[in-house]
Amino acid sequence: MPRPPGHGPGFEVRRQKIIDIAASLFARQGYAATSINDLGRAVGLAKGALYYYIGSKEHLLVEIQSRVMGPLLGRAREIAALEADPLLRLRLLSESLLTIIFRRLDHIWVYEHDYRSLSGQELETLLGQRSDFEALVTGLLTEAVEQGSFQVTELRLATLQFLNLHNHTYQWVRPEGQWDAAFLSGEYCGTLFRGFAAPAGVLPDVEELAAAFKRDRPDLPLDPEAQWEPTALAS
């Protein structure tokens, strides 16, 4: 939402804080069950003042969805474009997805449960972004099949297996728990890759490749919200 003319520098800071609080409320109570009055009380603003910052309740939902899909899809496209083994790129994409889940649990909850409350062009845009992300996963799986690493007969099913294993993590994970995004990504991908492996294929040590990538390219963080200007990575 562009800043309207005449607003001071504190406007955007306050607006972002309101979005944070809205994500927390929607995650706990549900989007439909949370009223503008509820949100106003939580942020300490009357209804008129609240609308001044957010425009509408639906726009808040759009902002929350965008905080997830915008950086995640951008990072996924950068990872998919690297000149590297498709298994390494799947592993990097996995960690990037899990990183934003850890970072924005409230947002992910709203993203998964309340996106159907959007309508019209906003819903169409979000569904298109989801489809684009799935297509990137399918593309990497396809490359792994074509190079002989994976034996997958149903690419759509394999894509859903990859996504479902990751996407439900938000329901139980604790950011300060014993596992972080890198560890879970290694475990998830290890399980999936062994299951997808072609009988005669020899899988590379993907964890070794991932560790080398992070060591050699510290300027390319897997955090979707961090700055990253990738260059080609030799396969």
Side-chain angles (χ1 to χ4, degrees):
M1 177 180 175
R3 191 176 82 186
H7 290 310
F11 175 85
E12 186 60 24
V13 174
R14 186 70 180 273
R15 193 177 75 87
Q16 292 299 323
K17 183 63 175 178
I18 291 170
I19 296 169
D20 286 336
I21 293 172
S24 178
L25 279 177
F26 294 166
R28 292 199 311 268
Q29 301 177 185
Y31 172 78
T34 303
S35 69
I36 285 293
N37 288 333
D38 292 334
L39 184 57
R41 284 191 293 271
V43 301
L45 291 173
K47 185 182 294 185
L50 182 58
Y51 280 127
Y52 175 74
Y53 284 98
I54 67 171
S56 69
K57 182 183 171 186
E58 184 176 36
H59 186 77
L60 271 177
L61 186 56
V62 172
E63 292 275 8
I64 292 167
Q65 303 283 341
S66 296
R67 279 183 171 186
V68 174
M69 251 351 268
L72 178 60
L73 185 56
R75 186 51 36 87
R77 285 170 173 155
E78 291 167 340
I79 290 170
L82 292 171
E83 295 180 6
D85 190 296
L87 273 64
L88 171 60
R89 284 177 283 157
L90 280 166
R91 169 63 175 78
L92 299 177
L93 189 151
S94 162
E95 186 171 335
S96 187
L97 172 56
L98 288 167
T99 296
I100 203 164
I101 289 173
F102 272 73
R103 172 75 57 79
R104 294 194 177 276
L105 278 178
D106 287 343
H107 291 65
I108 296 293
W109 187 277
V110 176
Y111 172 82
E112 292 290 347
H113 289 261
D114 292 318
Y115 73 91
R116 293 181 182 85
S117 294
L118 293 172
S119 60
Q121 184 59 49
E122 303 292 1
L123 179 59
E124 184 177 336
T125 297
L126 176 64
L127 293 177
Q129 291 175 327
R130 286 178 173 232
S131 179
D132 289 347
F133 185 80
E134 291 181 12
L136 291 172
V137 175
T138 302
L140 292 175
L141 290 168
T142 301
E143 288 187 48
V145 171
E146 291 174 347
Q147 77 172 13
S149 295
F150 286 171
Q151 178 177 271
V152 173
T153 57
E154 295 289 343
L155 282 167
R156 175 58 179 163
L157 179 58
T159 300
L160 291 175
Q161 288 174 282
F162 181 94
L163 294 172
N164 287 341
L165 188 56
H166 291 75
N167 287 351
H168 292 286
T169 303
Y170 77 95
Q171 295 183 345
W172 55 265
V173 77
R174 296 294 177 266
E176 304 305 322
Q178 66 184 108
W179 303 315
D180 61 12
F183 177 82
L184 285 183
S185 177
E187 292 296 303
Y188 286 4
C189 288
T191 299
L192 285 169
F193 293 178
R194 287 191 296 272
F196 293 156
V202 178
L203 294 178
D205 187 334
V206 178
E207 287 309 295
E208 182 177 317
L209 292 177
F213 176 90
K214 295 177 191 179
R215 183 180 62 250
D216 297 340
R217 300 299 303 272
D219 58 315
L220 306 186
L222 297 182
D223 182 349
E225 297 179 314
Q227 292 296 317
W228 185 8
E229 296 180 1
T231 56
L233 178 69
S235 58

